[in-house]
């Protein structure tokens, strides 16, 4: 078997089902198992906030689908931002997305250990806790290194397994629904607008991951058709599970009990069927969900640097692929996430870790803002090859709605997260300066002229 055949065998492209599972799996991680309790103090107005957010997420999904039809390359928001605004905007998009990926992976692993402790006590030993967290990160990383076809298989199985118990509560809970258990519509003294915004601030980040299929467009078969479909289908399916699940938990457990609950889905299963076996079932579902999310996010964390490295905006090593997987990106992500996880456990710096996690909510929205701004740019600049004239008004409305949704995400992340996130972005500017200088130097040595070199005095003459 030749090397090319070996690469093709391990790098088989995703079809529509796997691409849809990737979107659903990355949107729904472990957070759904705590969301009903998190928003219960605000009352059922939080369900209205969920509905508004769902509309924003679907608008964002439709924008990504439209952009992917015209730019069906691996990289997603990075590709769109660079095509519209140039290398610097593209680099900031890739840099922000990469930070989001590996810090989020560390957070997912820590959350996974909490559910694992229900099944196998590991928190009694610091070494066992760290080992479990690292195992949760490295197993999905190994699946990614084995090849794109294995990533798709793991993602599809994980999505099917985790949706079974979620659908049990989301649909089965409706048969045990008690309207009196819902509690007040507005449970705080805030105004309706204040309560809506406060509950939305918690729910805002439930839809991070809508870009998953677009980022991996290079690994999707027929991306012009399947990326948009997978993005919309995955987002709508995740939204249905979110909304039905939260509504069912509210109507079975009750708002008063949810306020102090640490495992709302467990409480819902106990109400529905009696007994205490719900805790074990929910812990298993949460673990499957988190492993699936880690598998998908590990893939995404490598794809954006890979696309940027091919354009000379990230170190060249990130453009290396083996068995269809960007190995350097996968390894860098899992190593950084592992170091952060070990630091969190050994230093006991929960506050620092939580701040870093909040930063990811800001850094994740930077690519969203730039991608939707790119769509608006294409629409307003009259680039006919990128805009379908017959759908101009519809696309413009969707792009503006998605841009507003992204701004709401930034606002909801809080002042501290935005402050820290900007520092992370400025650190990336130094990396961009280094990479740009290397490209100009290489161009001068080759006797070529780049866009960047034209802005540097003396480079044209030297070339």
């Amino acid at each position: 078997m030749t090397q090319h055949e070996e690469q093709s065998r391990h790098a088989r492209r995703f079809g529509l089902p796997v691409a849809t599972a990737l979107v659903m799996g990355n949107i729904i991680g472990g957070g759904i198992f705590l969301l009903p309790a998190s928003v219960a103090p605000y009352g059922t107005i939080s369900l209205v906030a969920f509905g508004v957010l769902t509309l924003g997420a679907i608008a964002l999904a439709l924008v990504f689908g439209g952009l992917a039809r015209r730019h069906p390359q691996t990289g997603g928001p990075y590709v769109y931002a660079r095509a519209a605004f140039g290398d610097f905007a593209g680099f900031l998009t890739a840099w922000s997305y990469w930070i989001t990926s590996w810090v989020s992976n560390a957070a997912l692993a820590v959350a996974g250990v909490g559910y694992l402790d229900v099944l196998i006590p590991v928190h009694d030993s610091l070494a066992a806790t760290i080992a479990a967290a690292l195992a949760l990160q490295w197993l999905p990383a190994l699946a990614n290194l084995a090849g794109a076809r294995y990533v798709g298989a793991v993602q599809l199985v994980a999505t099917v397994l985790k949706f079974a118990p979620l659908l049990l509560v989301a649909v089965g809970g409706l048969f045990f629904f008690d309207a009196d258990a819902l509690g007040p519509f507005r449970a705080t003294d805030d105004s309706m607008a204040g309560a809506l915004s406060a509950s939305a601030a918690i729910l805002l980040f439930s839809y991070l991951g809508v870009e998953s299929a677009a980022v991996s467009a290079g690994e999707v078969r027929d991306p012009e058709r399947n990326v948009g479909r997978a993005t919309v289908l995955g987002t709508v399916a995740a939204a249905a599970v979110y909304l039905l699940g939260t509504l069912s938990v509210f109507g079975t457990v009750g708002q008063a009990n949810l306020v102090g609950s640490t495992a709302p889905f467990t409480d819902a299963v106990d109400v529905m069927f009696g007994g205490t076996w719900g805790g074990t079932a929910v812990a298993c579902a949460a673990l499957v969900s988190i492993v699936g999310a880690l598998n998908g996010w590990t893939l995404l964390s490598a794809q954006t640097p890979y696309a940027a490295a091919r354009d000379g905006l990230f170190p060249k090593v990130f453009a290396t692929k083996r068995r269809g997987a960007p190995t350097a990106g996968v390894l860098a992500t899992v190593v950084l996430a592992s170091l952060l996880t070990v630091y969190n456990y050994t230093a006991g710096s929960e506050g620092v870790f939580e701040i870093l996690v909040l930063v990811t909510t800001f850094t994740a929205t930077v690519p969203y803002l730039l991608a939707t701004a790119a769509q608006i740019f294409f629409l307003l600049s009259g680039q006919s090859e990128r805009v379908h004239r017959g759908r101009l008004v519809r696309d413009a409305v969707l792009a503006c709605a998605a841009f507003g949704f992204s701004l709401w995400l930034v606002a909801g992340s809080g002042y501290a997260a935005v402050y820290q996130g900007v520092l992370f972005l400025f650190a990336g500017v130094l990396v961009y300066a280094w990479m740009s200088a290397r490209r100009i130097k290489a161009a001068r040595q080759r006797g070529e002229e780049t866009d960047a070199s034209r802005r540097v005095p003396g480079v044209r003459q030297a070339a």
Side-chain angles (χ1 to χ4, degrees):
M1 182 180 294
T2 66
Q3 183 178 1
H4 176 72
E5 290 171 338
E6 178 72 9
Q7 288 274 64
S8 299
R9 185 169 69 87
H10 292 284
R12 189 176 298 166
R13 289 188 167 192
F14 304 155
L16 179 61
V18 173
T20 303
L22 183 66
V23 175
M24 293 167 64
N26 285 353
I27 292 177
I28 301 180
I32 189 174
F33 296 96
L34 294 176
L35 277 177
S38 300
V39 297
Y42 300 100
T44 53
I45 193 173
S46 56
L47 296 174
V48 178
F50 233 144
V52 174
L53 293 174
T54 298
L55 294 177
I58 291 174
L60 190 60
L62 289 169
V63 169
F64 277 130
L67 288 167
R69 281 194 297 274
R70 301 174 184 96
H71 299 276
Q73 298 92 22
T74 292
Y78 157 74
V79 174
Y80 317 143
R82 184 170 181 262
F85 308 121
D87 287 349
F88 186 59
F91 172 83
L92 284 182
T93 301
W95 180 260
S96 299
Y97 201 82
W98 189 49
I99 292 172
T100 301
S101 300
W102 60 264
V103 179
S104 295
N105 276 11
L108 280 170
V110 171
V113 171
Y115 288 110
L116 180 63
D117 190 61
V118 176
L119 307 174
I120 306 171
V122 293
H123 279 164
D124 294 338
S125 167
L126 179 61
T129 301
I130 293 175
L134 294 180
L136 287 173
Q137 293 176 39
W138 279 90
L139 288 175
L142 292 175
N144 275 265
L145 292 173
R149 63 180 297 190
Y150 301 103
V151 176
V154 171
Q155 197 66 29
L156 191 58
V157 171
T159 301
V160 171
L161 289 178
K162 78 177 178 182
F163 266 81
L166 290 175
L167 288 175
L168 173 66
V169 175
V171 178
L174 298 178
F175 293 96
F176 298 87
F177 190 85
D178 181 5
D180 294 333
L182 289 176
F185 179 70
R186 194 170 75 247
T188 64
D189 295 332
D190 297 332
S191 65
M192 185 171 294
L196 190 67
S197 297
S199 56
I202 298 174
L203 300 169
L204 276 172
F205 316 110
S206 306
Y207 288 109
L208 294 182
V210 297
E211 74 291 344
S212 301
V215 172
S216 298
E219 277 62 54
V220 177
R221 287 196 300 269
D222 192 8
E224 291 87 350
R225 287 167 54 87
N226 286 335
V227 167
R229 291 178 177 181
T231 300
V232 174
L233 288 174
T235 303
V236 170
V241 173
Y242 274 148
L243 289 168
L244 279 178
T246 304
L247 178 64
S248 294
V249 171
F250 263 82
T252 52
V253 179
Q255 191 264 348
N257 294 326
L258 274 177
V259 171
S261 175
T262 58
F265 273 74
T266 295
D267 296 338
V269 172
D270 289 343
V271 170
M272 291 165 58
F273 302 107
T276 59
W277 58 273
T280 301
V282 171
C284 291
L287 273 175
V288 171
S289 177
I290 289 170
V291 170
L294 280 166
N295 181 65
W297 277 107
T298 300
L299 172 67
L300 298 188
S301 68
Q303 297 290 16
T304 301
Y306 166 76
R310 288 187 308 171
D311 296 327
L313 300 181
F314 259 54
K316 189 178 296 184
V317 67
F318 283 93
T320 303
K321 266 193 174 185
R322 287 188 176 86
R323 298 186 171 188
T327 51
V330 171
L331 288 173
T333 293
V334 72
V335 168
L336 287 169
S338 297
L339 291 174
L340 184 59
T341 302
V342 172
Y343 172 77
N344 175 59
Y345 281 121
T346 56
S349 52
E350 293 184 5
V352 173
F353 188 75
E354 288 170 1
I355 288 174
L356 288 173
V357 172
L358 282 175
V359 168
T360 67
T361 61
F362 168 74
T363 56
T365 57
V366 172
Y368 292 176
L369 282 168
L370 288 172
T372 52
Q375 177 75 330
I376 294 172
F377 169 77
F378 294 145
L379 293 170
L380 295 179
S381 60
Q383 298 188 39
S384 58
E385 73 278 6
R386 291 190 173 98
V387 178
H388 192 293
R389 294 183 182 276
R391 296 195 292 264
L392 182 62
V393 174
R394 187 204 69 177
D395 288 348
V397 171
L398 285 173
C400 291
F403 189 84
F405 176 68
S406 302
L407 278 180
W408 197 10
L409 286 170
V410 172
S413 60
Y415 294 108
V418 172
Y419 170 75
Q420 298 288 342
V422 169
L423 293 181
F424 271 99
L425 288 181
F426 284 173
V429 172
L430 182 62
V431 177
Y432 177 79
W434 172 58
M435 293 302 301
S436 295
R438 290 188 60 185
R439 282 191 298 149
I440 292 173
K441 183 177 180 180
R444 294 179 63 178
Q445 290 173 345
R446 293 193 308 267
E448 298 175 357
E449 185 180 0
T450 65
D451 290 338
S453 67
R454 295 189 191 103
R455 296 190 292 270
V456 181
V459 172
R460 182 190 297 270
Q461 293 80 358

